[in-house]
Amino acid sequence: MDEKNFLAEQFEANRARLRAVAYRMLGSTGEVDDAVQETWLRMSRTDTSAVDNLGGWLTTVVARVCLDMLRSRKSRREEPMGPHVPEPATSDEHEPDADMADSVGAALLVVLETLAPAERLAFVLHDMFAVPFEEIAPIVGRTPAAARQLASRARRRVQGTPPAPDADISRQKRIVDAFLAASRSGDFEGLLAVLDPDVVFRADEAAQRLGSLGEIRGAAAVAETFKGRAQAAKPALVDGALAIAVIFGGQLRIVLRLTLSGERIAAVEAVADAEQIGTFDVEVLDRG
């Protein structure tokens, strides 16, 4: 059997799973078809000879495709009359889809539509398809711990528990408020008080073009960087996690994603790439 036929057989063997992942991610049979077709095209263009688990690889690819489609849907704001409404799967072309839709449930799909794209992906892959967080993390551009948090927030919302603001978010906001206050006033000691001694600051290429260093390590160096700044910064929820939004001229210019350890900030990631920022679900907490 030649390689092309072998890959086609392997793809067909995984098609039902790929459609199931895509349906839970997208809630639209038309988009499911597009996602599965794109997954096949990417597979056909890729050398998979070194892939040990082709089924897992395909699941990762279709998840990436679906995440891109969700983010594109969000950036285009395609729903002027309200949120995207999941489509029931029909049985005229794909007979198993009706049973698949019944197994998912319309109510669950409606709840999934309220999640940020990264939350939805983490929840669907981990809770519904048992994909480890170590494999989910690179898909959403997070650490495994952060991917776990995304799934946890999504799970609480699915279960009917308000995800925020909860006690932990309130505690974290107090830390961020103290950081911003110390930054604005140039309080070096105040900054040291809320920064982990081994804090790491990293900036994407867009932030570096704005004058930031690519990486800064240690509380003293990070505190010196932020001293006297943050005048346009506000605490925000970004994909459900506490972060800092930097707003100029009424537009979101930079997102500082935070990792907190105990009562201190352990890592700061500056994201200024406009395309990536456009994929974030951002809620500014202090608008005054």
Side-chain angles (χ1 to χ4, degrees), residues 163-186:
D166 58 17
D168 193 50
I169 290 293
S170 298
R171 176 186 64 81
Q172 293 177 5
K173 186 174 182 300
R174 287 195 295 271
I175 298 169
V176 173
D177 285 342
F179 172 81
L180 292 176
S183 177
R184 290 167 184 150
S185 64

Side-chain angles (χ1 to χ4, degrees), residues 210 231-233 246-254:
L210 295 175
Q231 304 301 320
V246 181
I247 300 171
F248 294 111
Q251 293 191 3
L252 179 61
R253 304 291 187 178
I254 304 172

Side-chain angles (χ1 to χ4, degrees), residues 174-277:
R174 287 195 295 271
I175 298 169
V176 173
D177 285 342
F179 172 81
L180 292 176
S183 177
R184 290 167 184 150
S185 64
D187 181 0
F188 184 78
E189 294 300 324
L191 286 166
L192 290 180
V194 294
L195 291 172
D196 186 274
D198 298 318
V199 62
V200 178
F201 169 88
R202 294 185 176 90
D204 69 0
E205 292 183 0
Q208 292 177 48
R209 289 194 294 270
L210 295 175
S212 174
L213 293 176
E215 181 175 290
I216 305 170
R217 290 181 171 270
V222 173
E224 189 64 38
T225 297
F226 280 94
K227 186 177 68 172
R229 304 180 69 178
Q231 304 301 320
K234 299 179 183 296
L237 290 176
V238 175
D239 288 342
L242 201 65
I244 294 172
V246 181
I247 300 171
F248 294 111
Q251 293 191 3
L252 179 61
R253 304 291 187 178
I254 304 172
V255 168
L256 301 179
R257 297 199 299 203
L258 308 174
T259 301
L260 279 74
S261 176
E263 299 298 311
R264 299 193 176 199
I265 297 172
V268 182
E269 179 190 3
V271 179
D273 180 78
E275 184 174 349
Q276 185 174 4
I277 287 176

Side-chain angles (χ1 to χ4, degrees), residues 68 70-78 275 278-279:
D68 289 344
L70 284 176
R71 287 172 169 171
S72 178
R73 181 195 292 172
K74 176 178 181 293
S75 65
R76 292 196 306 267
R77 303 295 181 188
E78 291 179 331
E275 184 174 349
T279 70

Side-chain angles (χ1 to χ4, degrees), residues 92-160:
D92 55 341
E93 183 178 356
H94 301 287
E95 188 67 32
D97 285 359
D99 292 336
M100 179 176 68
D102 289 341
S103 69
V104 177
L108 175 57
L109 283 175
V110 170
V111 176
L112 291 177
E113 288 294 330
T114 68
L115 303 177
E119 288 180 335
R120 185 166 183 169
L121 183 141
F123 175 76
V124 166
L125 289 189
H126 182 266
D127 285 40
M128 296 183 173
F129 295 94
V131 177
F133 287 116
E134 289 75 15
E135 296 178 20
I136 295 172
I139 301 175
V140 293
R142 306 285 203 280
T143 64
R148 185 184 299 274
Q149 290 179 345
L150 288 172
S152 178
R153 284 194 298 271
R155 193 179 305 116
R156 289 198 299 270
R157 186 170 294 176
V158 168
Q159 293 171 347

